[in-house]
């Protein structure tokens, strides 16, 4: 048997050593006197009662401190639990003084250092406020003067950790968005997801994943994304952001962008599109080579053949497939018709009936202006009875054509009486003046009878050509009668002088 020692539990422990056989298993145990205050066998000695878990001992025993004596001083140092705070926040350290001022408190920036730590309200009180800029260890020294130093001195420490940027959530609800009816709008940002953080969208109606950092919605509205880091409380461990989601209104798309179909005559122009188109739209027309400006909502077109124009309009305020409108318009190009021309000039004498116009062509319509004195103002060829020089217009219409410049052509016919006269002088002397008895040009046959003052016929012609010179007559005064034959015939009588 070796050393005996009274334990704090009132039992006596005994060590052993076998000097003959060091491998004796007794070295792995201790014996115990269970009731050392009882005499004799009543002390209840138990040999090798305490197994030392595979470890062996010698004849000595370790020190057995008495943990039941209680504290040597009134209060020990208690710096408090560790803290996690947001940058710029403050936290209170330590615990209240329970001694009524019998102990002193000293906060330092390290064991053995008497320098007051940074960012602390008062280094000599039990519960100061700390506001560090970075993670800091604070050390508390408590001295109980009743027990002196070192027995009355205790130490403790506490860490105040300032949250790192990656621990501070930043809510990213995304950008304000307009989406197409029947579609979905994005919310949030997928790269903002951090494991362990809590995400929540408000309102949740219409949101595909209300607790995800990035999701979609099919309902317009104002959405709020809240995100928090549950490791601590504080303003920097939660954040929120707002995004506005709107649904595109298709009613703002201009209607009938290309305008109505049109028919023009070759060489004409026509305006396409719509006038006063809404602003903020981008227009693009096909066939720009026959447009004055292909980027206008209402360009003018001058095609030389029938062309189908397509216009595409997009809302520049948004980039959405539903904010694009496409329309088309067909411009039919007609060619002017061909038609025989009427005689542009018809000569007559007052009182004479003339025929103006041209032979009718099938499928055409005719109209004369003015209509006075005409037998049929809607015939291609008609008789006219002008009282003097008159300009007639013949409008020829092809009703099979639609464009006004192609379906109508206007011809001018001048009925002139400028070359019609009734002479009073005949002087065939070779000077070119009054050389013949000239009545002008007539559309009908002219009969002429010339007689002297005694009423004797001296000249007659049934188809007079205004070419008689009267050379066989003597100088003097003669009378004549001219008769214009035909449907509008007439007769005139007059006198003329034959001069030598």
């Amino acid at each position: 048997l070796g050393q005996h020692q009274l334990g704090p539990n009132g039992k006596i422990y005994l060590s052993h050593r076998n000097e003959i056989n060091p491998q004796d298993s007794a070295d792995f145990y201790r014996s115990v006197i269970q009731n050392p205050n009882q005499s004799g066998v009543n002390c209840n000695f138990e040999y090798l009662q305490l197994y030392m878990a595979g470890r062996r001992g010698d004849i000595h025993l370790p020190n057995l401190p008495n943990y039941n004596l209680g504290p040597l001083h009134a209060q020990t140092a208690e710096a408090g639990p560790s803290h996690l705070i947001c940058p710029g926040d403050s936290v209170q350290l330590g615990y209240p003084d329970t001694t009524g001022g019998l102990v002193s408190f000293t906060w330092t920036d390290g064991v053995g250092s008497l320098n007051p730590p940074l960012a602390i309200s008062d280094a000599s009180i039990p519960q100061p406020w700390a506001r560090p800029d970075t993670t800091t260890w604070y050390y508390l020294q408590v001295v109980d003067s009743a027990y002196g130093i070192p027995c009355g001195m205790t130490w403790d420490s506490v860490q105040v950790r300032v949250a790192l940027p990656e621990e501070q959530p930043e809510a990213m609800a995304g950008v304000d968005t307009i989406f197409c009816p029947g579609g979905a709008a994005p919310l949030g940002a997928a790269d903002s997801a951090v494991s362990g953080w809590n995400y929540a969208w408000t309102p949740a109606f219409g949101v595909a994943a209300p607790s995800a950092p990035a999701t979609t919605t099919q309902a317009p509205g104002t959405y709020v994304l809240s995100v928090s880091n549950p490791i601590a409380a504080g303003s920097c461990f939660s954040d929120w952001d707002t995004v506005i989601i709107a649904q595109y209104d298709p009613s703002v798309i201009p209607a009938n962008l290309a305008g109505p179909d049109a028919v023009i005559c070759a060489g004409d122009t026509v305006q396409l599109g719509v006038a006063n188109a809404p602003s903020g739209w981008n227009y693009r027309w096909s066939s720009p080579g026959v447009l004055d400006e292909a980027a206008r909502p209402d360009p003018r077109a001058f095609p030389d053949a029938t062309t189908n124009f397509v216009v595409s309009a997009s809302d520049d305020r948004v980039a959405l497939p539903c904010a694009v409108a496409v329309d088309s318009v067909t411009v039919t190009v007609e060619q002017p018709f061909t038609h025989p021309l009427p005689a542009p000039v018809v000569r007559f004498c007052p009182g004479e009936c003339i025929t103006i116009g041209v032979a009718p062509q099938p499928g055409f319509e005719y109209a004369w202006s003015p209509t006075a004195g005409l037998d049929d103002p809607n015939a291609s060829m008609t008789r006219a009875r002008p009282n003097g020089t008159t300009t007639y217009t013949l409008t020829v219409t092809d009703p099979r054509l639609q464009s006004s410049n192609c379906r109508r052509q206007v011809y001018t016919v001048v009925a002139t009486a400028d070359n019609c006269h009734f002479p009073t002088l005949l002087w065939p002397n070779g000077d070119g003046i009054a050389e013949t008895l000239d009545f002008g040009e007539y559309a009908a046959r002219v009969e002429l009878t010339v007689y002297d003052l005694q009423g004797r016929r001296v000249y007659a012609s049934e188809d007079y050509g205004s070419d008689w010179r009267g050379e066989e007559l003597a100088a003097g005064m003669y009378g004549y009668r001219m008769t214009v034959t035909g449907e509008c015939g007439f007769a005139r009588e007059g006198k003329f002088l034959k001069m030598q």
Side-chain angles (χ1 to χ4, degrees):
L1 299 178
Q3 180 180 353
H4 293 43
Q5 184 167 335
L6 178 64
N9 57 359
K11 299 179 182 182
I12 296 177
Y13 295 85
L14 296 82
S15 63
H16 321 89
R17 184 167 71 175
N18 189 332
E19 295 180 352
I20 299 175
N21 182 12
Q23 301 302 321
D24 187 3
S25 62
D27 292 350
F28 292 90
Y29 292 86
R30 291 295 178 264
S31 297
V32 181
I33 301 175
Q34 299 288 352
N35 305 104
N37 290 337
Q38 302 297 321
S39 62
V41 296
N42 291 331
C43 72
N44 192 14
F45 173 73
E46 294 186 9
Y47 179 64
L48 303 181
Q49 187 272 341
L50 181 61
Y51 178 62
M52 294 190 298
R55 294 171 176 82
R56 64 189 303 167
D58 208 340
I59 60 174
H60 300 292
L61 292 172
N63 292 325
L64 300 178
N66 189 340
Y67 290 98
N68 298 320
L69 294 177
L72 296 176
H73 43 77
Q75 182 166 329
T76 59
E78 293 288 348
S82 61
H83 300 276
L84 175 62
I85 64 172
C86 294
D89 286 356
S90 299
V91 63
Q92 192 171 29
L93 308 179
Y95 289 96
D97 181 4
T98 62
T99 69
L102 298 180
V103 296
S104 64
F105 300 87
T106 303
W107 293 88
T108 62
D109 58 2
V111 176
S113 173
L114 298 179
N115 297 323
L118 298 175
I120 198 167
S121 61
D122 190 339
S124 62
I125 61 175
Q127 290 185 283
W129 286 87
R131 189 178 183 180
D133 294 329
T134 60
T135 297
T136 303
W137 279 94
Y138 292 94
Y139 299 90
L140 172 63
Q141 180 192 74
V142 175
V143 177
D144 189 341
S145 59
Y147 293 91
I149 298 175
C151 292
M153 180 184 293
T154 56
W155 289 86
D156 195 17
S157 62
V158 63
Q159 184 190 54
V160 178
R161 188 166 69 86
V162 179
L164 299 174
E166 57 267 22
E167 297 176 305
Q168 304 172 44
E170 180 182 3
M172 290 186 288
V175 297
D176 294 347
T177 303
I178 300 177
F179 70 101
C180 293
L187 295 175
D191 56 2
S192 66
V194 178
S195 177
W197 288 4
N198 299 322
Y199 300 87
W201 287 94
T202 305
F205 175 76
V207 179
S211 59
T215 182
T216 59
T217 181
Q218 293 181 318
T222 300
Y223 291 88
V224 178
L225 172 62
S226 301
V227 57
S228 62
N229 186 350
I231 62 174
S235 60
C236 69
F237 296 106
S238 63
D239 193 24
W240 62 274
D241 192 21
T242 302
V243 64
I244 298 176
I245 303 298
Q247 181 173 279
Y248 190 76
D249 183 7
S251 65
V252 303
I253 298 177
N256 302 320
L257 289 173
D261 292 342
V263 179
I264 64 172
C265 189
D268 288 348
T269 63
V270 62
Q271 189 169 32
L272 307 180
V274 291
N276 302 318
S279 60
W281 285 76
N282 182 41
Y283 297 88
R284 287 292 181 270
W285 287 86
S286 63
S287 304
V290 292
L291 297 172
D292 62 351
E293 189 173 348
R296 285 177 54 86
D298 55 346
R300 294 199 69 83
F302 42 90
D304 54 6
T306 297
T307 304
N308 183 60
F309 294 90
V310 179
V311 60
S312 174
S314 59
D315 194 338
D316 287 345
R317 299 167 297 177
V318 293
L320 295 174
C322 61
V324 176
V326 178
D327 195 13
S328 63
V329 59
T330 299
V331 177
T332 302
V333 179
E334 296 179 333
Q335 300 299 323
F337 62 82
T338 58
H339 192 279
L341 300 178
V345 177
V346 178
R347 301 184 183 280
F348 75 100
C349 287
E352 184 181 10
C353 177
I354 61 175
T355 298
I356 58 176
V358 65
Q361 303 297 314
F364 290 91
E365 298 174 353
Y366 303 91
W368 287 94
S369 178
T371 60
L374 300 182
D375 284 358
D376 187 354
N378 296 117
S380 63
M381 182 177 292
T382 184
R383 288 181 301 179
R385 299 173 178 81
N387 294 323
T389 298
T390 304
T391 299
Y392 295 94
T393 58
L394 173 61
T395 300
V396 181
T397 302
D398 187 346
R400 295 162 294 187
L401 301 178
Q402 300 181 50
S403 58
S404 59
N405 287 343
C406 275
R407 73 193 310 259
R408 290 184 179 86
Q409 295 184 31
V410 178
Y411 305 101
T412 300
V413 176
V414 178
T416 176
D418 294 343
N419 199 31
C420 180
H421 48 84
F422 300 100
T424 57
L425 179 67
L426 179 64
W427 195 359
N429 59 359
D431 63 358
I433 300 175
E435 295 287 339
T436 61
L437 188 62
D438 186 3
F439 294 102
E441 298 181 9
Y442 287 85
R445 181 169 57 87
V446 176
E447 296 179 1
L448 175 64
T449 302
V450 180
Y451 50 89
D452 58 16
L453 293 180
Q454 286 76 32
R456 293 173 296 187
R457 186 173 67 179
V458 297
Y459 176 80
S461 175
E462 295 182 354
D463 188 7
Y464 183 64
S466 293
D467 54 356
W468 181 62
R469 299 176 61 86
E471 295 176 345
E472 67 275 18
L473 299 180
M477 182 175 291
Y478 295 85
Y480 66 86
R481 178 180 178 85
M482 64 164 302
T483 302
V484 178
T485 63
E487 296 181 3
C488 300
F490 65 94
R492 287 183 181 274
E493 293 183 353
K495 296 183 182 296
F496 68 89
L497 294 177
K498 168 67 186 303
M499 301 186 68
Q500 298 293 336

